[in-house]
Amino acid sequence: YPFTGRLHHLQEEDITQINKAIEKVGIKNLRHRFVEELSDGERQKVMLACAFAQNTPLLILDEPTSHLDVRNKVTMMNLIRQFAKEEGKTILFSTHDLGLAKNVASRIWLIHDGKMLDESTEHFMANKSWKPLLEGIDEEVINWL
């Protein structure tokens, strides 16, 4: 959509970017299906391909793994990480899944009690900066992190 102009016609470069995104996300099998026919997980993959196709230097993704099972969460995050690395993109994503963030992100911005923390993922984990999020939870559960 960002490149189609007033008449919403796709140019050759648009089609190239769309095909590249479809290939990268692995959704060729969904190409001729209507969105309302797709599962929530399939829709998430289509939305990711749409974001990739826009070919912007920065992507902001809101909960890109919501409605996905564990296998597809891992697949989705690997795609996002690989895309950022190969294409030189900056990707900012929101998540409530700390385990996911610590395994994918290079930096973590934590918003808690009206304050924002910005640390490298390495420091975030080493400093246990996540601990205030888990106040009142058994130490055994916290050790899962």
Side-chain angles (χ1 to χ4, degrees):
Y1 291 124
F3 310 110
T4 58
R6 286 188 198 150
L7 301 177
H8 301 289
H9 292 292
L10 295 172
Q11 303 299 317
E12 190 174 324
E13 175 61 21
D14 302 321
I15 293 168
T16 300
Q17 288 297 332
I18 291 166
N19 288 332
K20 184 178 171 184
I22 287 170
E23 180 75 31
K24 191 166 285 286
V25 177
I27 57 170
K28 281 184 180 180
N29 60 321
L30 305 179
R31 186 177 206 123
H32 299 291
R33 292 178 52 198
F34 292 105
V35 172
E36 50 277 352
E37 297 173 354
L38 303 177
S39 71
D40 289 339
E42 290 170 331
R43 284 182 194 204
Q44 285 292 89
K45 289 178 180 178
V46 168
M47 296 307 295
L48 183 62
C50 287
F52 284 177
Q54 292 181 38
N55 197 26
T56 60
L58 169 68
L59 288 178
I60 300 174
L61 306 174
D62 183 22
E63 294 279 352
T65 60
S66 64
H67 306 295
L68 296 180
D69 59 24
V70 173
R71 179 185 190 89
N72 282 310
K73 274 186 183 191
V74 170
T75 299
M76 182 74 76
M77 293 316 298
N78 280 335
L79 283 169
I80 290 169
R81 182 175 36 201
Q82 181 181 2
F83 183 75
K85 188 176 183 178
E86 290 176 2
E87 302 291 327
K89 308 291 184 180
T90 298
I91 301 179
L92 175 68
F93 69 92
S94 65
T95 184
H96 291 93
D97 187 335
L98 185 56
L100 183 74
K102 77 173 183 143
N103 287 310
V104 174
S106 58
R107 296 200 69 76
I108 293 183
W109 293 351
L110 174 68
I111 301 170
H112 182 67
D113 284 340
K115 297 177 186 131
M116 184 174 145
L117 173 73
D118 173 12
E119 290 185 342
S120 71
T121 304
E122 181 180 297
H123 285 127
F124 183 81
M125 295 310 295
N127 297 340
K128 297 188 177 187
S129 300
W130 45 265
K131 269 201 148 178
L133 296 173
L134 304 176
E135 284 180 26
I137 296 178
D138 290 339
E139 192 70 29
E140 182 179 311
V141 174
I142 292 174
N143 288 332
W144 290 354
L145 295 173

